[in-house]
Amino acid sequence: MTDRPFHSSHAETLAVSLGRPPREPDAPFNEPVHLASTFVAGGEREYGRYGNPSWAAFETVLGALEGGTCVSFASGIAAISAVLDLVPHGGTVIAPRHSYTGTIAQLRDREAAGRLRALLVDVTDTAAVAEACGDADLLWFESPTNPALEVADIPALVAAARAHGTMVAIDNTFATPLLQQPLALGADLAVHSATKYLAGHSDVLMGAVVAADASVAEQISGRRALSGAVPAPLESYLALRGLRTLPVRLERAQANARELARRLDGHPALEEVRYPGFGAIVSLVVRGGAEGADAFIDRVQLWIHATSLGGVESTLERRRRWPSEAPTIPEGLVRLSVGLEHVDDLADDLLAALG
Ligand SMILES: *Cc1c(COP(=O)(O)O)cnc(C)c1O
C-alpha cells in the first residue's frame, strides 16, 4: 500500500496530516524519536549533525504552513544567529528598536566585533524604514513587536526592501503562520522561536527558519551544520506534537485575549491596554510604574509570573525587570501571554489583582 497524497491548503489539515511515516500496515502514525548520532553510510544523512528524521518531520509541517523550506534549530536564538550570519562582513541590518531583546543582543555583539552595522528603527515609521533600506543588506523585523505590540506595514516595507535588493526576514513568533505568512507577503525568510506557540506547552526550546528560496535554505542548513546548533530528536518530536494542535490552541488563546483586552479596557488602574487586534499577547501599562506593576503581579493567583510566552498556561511579566529591555518600554508594562483557561477565571484573577 502506498501513500495517497491529499492536497489541501487549509492550515488545520496541513498541521495534522503532514510529516507522518508512510501508511503501511503496522506503521506508527507518528515519526518516532530517532535517537541516533550516526547513520549507516551511503545515504543522505550520514551523521546526526546533518540530519534526523524527527527534525525532518517537524520541518515538513512548518515548511508547508509557512509556504517555504524549513530548517529547524536548537532554539529561536540559534535560528536568528544563522540568519545574521548571511549578512556580508561590514553589512547593514535594519531592525526594530523594540525587537526581541536576544535579537538586539546578537546585533550589538556583532556590531561590537565590527561584523556589521545595526540600524534600530521605529518599525511603525514606514517612510523612514523604507528610506533606510537604500543601503541595507538585511531588513529584519517583527510584527507585532515584543512587547510593545507595534504592527508594521509589511507589504510597504517588503516593497521598499525589494526595490533596493535588501533581503527581508520576519520574526513570525508572535503571529504564527496561521495569522501571518511572511513569505506570501514577499519576505525572503520567516523566523520562529518554536519554543513559544508552535510547540506550545512550555517544555521545549526550539527554533526554525523558513526560506522562500530552497538554495537559501541550503545555505542556512549549512550554517546549522557548521555551528552545530541542531535540534534534539526528542524536542523535535514534542514540537511537532505541539504543532498538530496549534490551530485549535491559537483560536482559543486569541478569543481569550480579545475578550480580556475588551474587559480590561478603561480600567482605572491601567494607563493603557495594548492589543493589536490579533494573536494572544496583550500588554498592559499599569499605573504606578514598576512598583504598581510589581504589586499587581504579586497579587495574581491563577496567572503565572514568568518570562516566555505561547504556552497553554496564562503567564505575565513586567518586561522592564530585565535590564536588557529597551528603555522606551514603559516601566509599568506587563506583558500577558494569554492561555487556554476559561476566560472568566482569567479575567476575575486579573481584576481582583488590579483592585
Ligand atoms: C523567545 C523569542 C525568541 C528567542 O527564541 P528562543 O527559542 O528562546 O531561543 C526570538 N524571537 C521572539 C519574538 C521571541 O519571543
Side-chain angles (χ1 to χ4, degrees):
M1 196 176 359
T2 55
D3 261 356
R4 287 156 298 187
F6 179 86
H7 294 287
S8 173
S9 56
H10 294 119
E12 295 83 352
T13 305
L14 299 175
V16 170
S17 64
L18 297 182
R20 300 207 180 263
R23 290 186 199 181
E24 287 158 3
D26 281 341
F29 277 24
N30 296 292
E31 190 64 53
V33 181
H34 291 267
L35 295 173
S37 60
T38 188
F39 301 89
V40 177
E44 282 177 9
R45 272 188 285 272
E46 296 273 0
Y47 188 57
R49 200 167 354 93
Y50 306 136
N52 181 291
S54 307
W55 317 342
F58 171 84
E59 289 169 349
T60 299
V61 179
L62 183 57
L65 291 172
E66 286 284 15
T69 307
C70 176
V71 182
S72 55
F73 283 87
S75 64
I77 209 75
I80 291 167
S81 181
V83 172
L84 295 181
D85 281 347
L86 299 179
V87 177
H89 198 96
T92 297
V93 178
I94 304 174
R97 62 188 170 141
H98 294 151
S99 296
Y100 173 68
T101 52
T103 304
I104 303 266
Q106 289 248 359
L107 288 168
R108 292 268 183 251
D109 183 61
R110 285 172 159 79
E111 196 168 46
R115 256 287 276 118
L116 52 74
R117 195 169 72 95
L119 196 61
L120 299 185
V121 297
D122 173 357
V123 81
T124 62
D125 188 346
T126 309
V129 180
E131 197 185 317
C133 284
D135 50 13
D137 297 279
L138 173 66
L139 170 61
W140 172 282
F141 64 99
E142 296 171 22
S143 187
T145 57
N146 177 10
L149 301 181
E150 299 143 323
V151 174
D153 182 346
I154 298 181
L157 294 184
V158 166
R162 284 249 163 272
H164 292 103
T166 304
M167 182 154 77
V168 181
I170 303 182
D171 184 330
N172 207 29
T173 300
F174 272 36
T176 86
L178 301 182
L179 305 179
Q180 173 170 289
Q181 292 176 303
L183 306 188
L185 292 166
D188 300 285
L189 303 169
V191 182
H192 280 282
S193 168
T195 308
K196 314 293 168 55
Y197 290 102
L198 304 186
H201 294 73
S202 311
D203 52 5
V204 165
L205 273 177
M206 216 170 126
V209 180
V210 186
D213 186 325
S215 70
V216 175
E218 206 158 304
Q219 238 181 309
I220 290 169
S221 91
R223 296 300 316 168
R224 176 179 66 182
L226 276 176
S227 70
V230 295
L234 177 61
E235 269 70 357
S236 305
Y237 180 93
L238 290 170
L240 177 52
R241 185 183 171 118
L243 194 48
R244 301 277 188 219
T245 57
L246 175 66
V248 283
R249 282 187 289 106
L250 193 63
E251 193 176 306
R252 165 63 75 89
Q254 178 172 252
N256 281 353
R258 204 172 263 153
E259 178 61 16
L260 288 176
R262 194 186 67 75
R263 291 195 201 177
L264 293 168
D265 194 41
H267 191 286
L270 299 174
E271 274 172 31
E272 207 185 332
V273 175
R274 295 189 193 176
Y275 181 62
F278 62 96
I281 304 289
V282 179
S283 287
L284 309 177
V285 182
V286 180
R287 285 194 198 284
E291 226 170 282
D294 286 340
F296 161 62
I297 288 171
D298 275 347
R299 286 191 295 260
V300 295
Q301 293 180 311
L302 175 60
W303 290 73
I304 304 170
H305 179 211
T307 197
S308 197
L309 54 101
V312 295
E313 321 80 3
S314 291
T315 62
L316 82 183
E317 182 185 36
R318 184 173 76 81
R319 285 299 301 175
R320 285 291 302 278
R321 78 189 178 96
W322 296 95
S324 55
E325 186 57 83
T328 38
I329 297 298
E331 281 282 0
L333 185 142
V334 175
R335 184 185 67 195
L336 308 181
S337 170
V338 182
L340 313 188
E341 303 89 339
H342 197 287
V343 70
D344 289 342
D345 294 328
L346 294 174
D348 288 351
D349 194 34
L350 292 179
L351 291 168
L354 285 172

